[in-house]
Every structure is written in structure tokens, then in C-alpha cells.
Amino acid sequence: MSEAVAFDSGTFRRVLGHYPTGVCVVTAVEDGQVPTGMVVGSFTSVSLDPPLVAFFPAKDSQSWPRIEKVGKFCVNILASDQKPLCQQFAVKGGDDKFAGVTHRVSANGSPILDGVVAWIDCQLEAVHEAGDHYIVLGRVIALEVETPGKPLLFFQGGYGEFAHLA
């Protein structure tokens, strides 16, 4: 049984916007060798044994069902200079998100985008409902730091990069 909340979704979003998140593009290749992808801002490591990661697509996502159907995906951690790439993949319902995007295909068959900080190749482990989102667990089968550098971050409604404190 859920109790009534004393705040609205705008307050929820504003408060949680004070916590920075990394920005990733989850990619897969559909039947017919058509690449697809989506931006996720909520991505995390889950377990070392077995090696699991998670991300949280919205239930109304048009891209997630396409990736789920494939059953495998690659999480591409964007670099701080890849905001335009993030914006290209963030378009709802975009049919050709890969237009002009250079990439190679992982041993598992998923696109690894050029210039990303790191990539994590996964098999779909489980999907759980969680409110208006899903919790997607991926079993890591390969991963690598591609281009060491600063990741793209999302914070208080804008994009930025990490800076070390002196």
C-alpha cells in the first residue's frame, strides 16, 4: 500500500537534479543489421560476482523495446566533448540516430561508438518493473577503457564535465 506523497514530480526532479549522473548511450543491432541506441543518465555497477550493471529506461521509451528484443547491448560512456552525440541519440523516435556516427561492432555484435571514454558489452540478464521505468540488468561479457578522459555529466538540467579538486 502506498501513502500519498507531500511533493510533486517537479520537486522530485529538481531535488534529484542536484546529484550529477554520467551520460551513456546504450546500443544494439536489430535484425537486418540496423543499429539502434538510446541515451541513459541513470547507469550503475551492481555486482562484481557475477559482473552486473544496470540502467533505467522509461516505460514509454520507443528505443528500449527494440534493444530488449535483441537481448544484448553495449553501454557507451560518453566523453565530455560528446554532447552533440548525446543530443543526437536523445531524440525520441529518431529513426536514424546513427547518421554520421562512426563506430565498430563488438565481438558480441553491438555498436561501440568512436571516442567514448569506455564501453561495457552485456547480455540482457533481467528486466524488472519499477514505477514508470524498468530496471535493466546486464551481465558484463567484455569491457574496456577506450579513450581515457573526462566523462560527460548531467547536472541541474545541463551538461558539464568532471574537475578534480585541488
Side-chain angles (χ1 to χ4, degrees):
M1 176 190 265
S2 63
E3 297 180 24
V5 293
F7 54 86
D8 60 21
S9 61
T11 300
F12 185 84
R13 185 173 288 197
R14 180 180 53 78
V15 170
L16 291 174
H18 283 73
Y19 184 73
T21 60
V23 183
C24 305
V25 173
V26 176
T27 59
V29 175
E30 298 180 273
D31 291 338
Q33 303 303 309
V34 177
T36 188
M38 64 184 289
V39 172
V40 298
S42 295
F43 169 77
T44 189
S45 62
V46 175
S47 169
L48 288 173
D49 187 18
L52 299 172
V53 295
F55 65 94
F56 310 91
K59 284 187 175 178
D60 66 356
S61 168
Q62 296 174 357
S63 299
W64 166 240
R66 297 166 65 183
I67 295 169
E68 181 180 26
K69 184 178 178 183
V70 175
K72 56 187 177 181
F73 55 86
C74 186
V75 178
N76 294 266
I77 300 171
L78 297 186
S80 61
D81 63 352
Q82 291 184 306
K83 181 182 173 188
L85 185 64
C86 170
Q87 292 170 322
Q88 182 169 336
F89 276 90
V91 174
K92 269 203 179 287
D95 288 333
D96 197 7
K97 294 180 181 183
F98 274 83
V101 175
T102 55
H103 65 281
R104 68 180 190 280
V105 177
S106 72
N108 196 36
S110 299
I112 297 172
L113 306 178
D114 286 356
V116 296
V117 172
W119 54 267
I120 303 149
D121 220 8
C122 302
Q123 290 291 129
L124 182 60
E125 180 81 4
V127 179
H128 303 283
E129 290 194 29
D132 58 1
H133 281 67
Y134 294 108
I135 300 170
V136 176
L137 292 174
R139 183 177 293 255
V140 178
I141 59 169
L143 69 166
E144 192 60 62
V145 173
E146 186 76 9
T147 309
K150 295 178 182 178
L152 182 63
L153 300 177
F154 187 75
F155 179 66
Q156 295 181 348
Y159 295 93
E161 64 182 34
F162 177 80
H164 289 278
L165 296 176

